[in-house]
Structures are given as C-alpha cells and as structure tokens.
Amino acid sequence: MKADILIQRYLSQGDVSAVRDLLRNYEEGLYGYLWHMLKHQQDCEDALQDTFKKALEGLPTYREESHFKSWLFRIGHNTGIEIIRRRKRIAEMPETLEDHEIAPSSGPRESLIQRELTEELQDAIDNLPHSERAVVLLRLEEELSFKEIAQVVDAPLGTVLARMHKAKERMRTRLISI
C-alpha cells in the first residue's frame, strides 16, 4: 500500500497497524544504510529505533510533496550523525557481505574471484569519506535518485553529484592499485 494512504490512516483513524506496516517497508534498507554508517550493531539498533520514534512524532507535520522514503532516510541519516557525535566513535567490525548475492558461476574458482571482487569493492566504499560514502550507499543500495539523496543528506543537488563523482574517482584509483 502506498505510504500516503498508510500515513493518512494513521493520522486520521489512529490505525497503529498502518504505521507499523509503513515503517516495516523501510526497516531493512534503513538498517543497512545505518550499518554502513555506524558499523556497530547496537548503534544501528538504537539509530533505527530513534529514527522510527522521530518519524512517528514528525508524521503530523510530514508534507506529502516529500517522498516518504527520502524523508525517513534523512531522519535516519541525522540520527546516525547524532550517534557518531555523541559516542565519538565508529566501532570497527569486519564487514560481511552475506546480504549481497554472489553471481552464480561455473565453479568454486569463479565464485571465489567474484567474492574477492565484491569484498574489494566494499572495502573501496568503506574507505570513502563519510559524505561520499553516504551518497554512494543511498544511490547503489537504496536506489534513491540524486534529488532524493540531496534531501536525505541536506545538501544541494550539485554537491551530491560532485560527491558521487569524487567517490567514483577515489574508488577507481583504489581498485586499480589493488
């Protein structure tokens, strides 16, 4: 069901199941984005919970001309930044790529090569500055438009495009040197 309908059911009728369904639609993607940002399970869970709480509190002022997903991810992005600032750390945990599909191959050698390439790409993304990493992850994993990304990270569209360009150059340089 469309976000606007679920929001309206919650606001006009107090339908808690509608808002639960609404937030559940974005839970996995938002958690994945927060994970790349925070790299710590408890931080991610706290950020997700805080994001949903803030979204519920903000729903009465939500403007329908905003795309709900970008509005929610902006709240999540800001919540993640708050956690980073408050705790003054990003916990280092080994990145697992179990959520990413490995392309089927004709044998174990090809599978190993594909897995190594995926890990190298993930390392290249992880080593980007936070502002560029956020743009890359929102574009590749959440498939947001650059306009939506600009809303999430609260930056002009030109800045977002420049960050993506710089990120591509950094990743290209890093991957070529491997």
Side-chain angles (χ1 to χ4, degrees):
M1 197 176 289
K2 284 189 73 175
D4 299 349
I5 295 168
L6 292 171
I7 292 168
Q8 204 50 36
R9 280 184 29 205
Y10 173 70
L11 293 175
S12 64
Q13 303 165 14
D15 187 348
V16 176
S17 66
V19 78
R20 190 177 302 129
D21 290 344
L22 173 68
L23 296 177
R24 191 175 296 130
N25 289 334
Y26 301 100
E27 184 174 7
E28 186 177 325
L30 184 57
Y31 184 89
Y33 176 69
L34 291 167
W35 173 258
H36 285 291
M37 192 177 189
L38 302 170
K39 304 255 192 247
H40 189 268
Q41 181 180 356
Q42 190 62 49
D43 286 348
C44 291
E45 290 171 5
D46 290 348
L48 188 66
Q49 184 177 8
D50 288 350
T51 299
F52 285 166
K53 181 180 178 231
K54 289 173 185 175
L56 283 174
E57 292 168 354
L59 272 180
T61 60
Y62 169 73
R63 296 182 320 257
E64 291 184 30
E65 65 266 11
S66 299
H67 188 271
F68 182 76
K69 183 177 182 179
S70 59
W71 180 78
L72 181 65
F73 271 71
R74 180 174 183 175
I75 294 170
H77 177 82
N78 291 338
T79 301
I81 296 293
E82 288 171 14
I83 287 175
I84 290 169
R85 286 180 181 150
R86 184 175 66 229
R87 297 189 180 169
K88 299 210 187 256
R89 66 162 169 74
I90 297 176
E92 293 296 322
M93 291 181 66
E95 182 67 35
T96 61
L97 296 172
E98 41 194 45
D99 293 336
H100 297 283
E101 296 278 328
I102 300 297
S105 63
S106 58
R109 181 175 184 270
E110 289 81 6
S111 179
L112 177 63
I113 291 169
Q114 182 64 40
R115 188 176 311 274
E116 287 175 356
L117 289 172
T118 302
E119 288 174 4
E120 289 171 4
L121 179 59
Q122 188 62 55
D123 286 342
I125 293 171
D126 288 345
N127 284 300
L128 291 171
H130 172 73
S131 61
E132 292 172 17
R133 185 172 60 236
V135 171
V136 170
L137 293 172
L138 289 169
R139 181 70 175 165
L140 296 179
E141 293 193 3
E142 297 309 317
E143 300 177 356
L144 294 180
S145 69
F146 287 111
K147 183 178 177 184
E148 291 170 327
I149 293 169
Q151 292 174 339
V152 169
V153 300
D154 194 24
L157 179 60
T159 301
V160 168
L161 293 171
R163 287 177 184 170
M164 182 59 129
H165 178 73
K166 287 178 187 174
K168 285 175 166 178
E169 289 300 314
R170 287 182 206 270
M171 290 188 328
R172 184 176 295 120
T173 301
R174 182 172 176 87
L175 292 172
I176 289 172
S177 69
I178 292 179

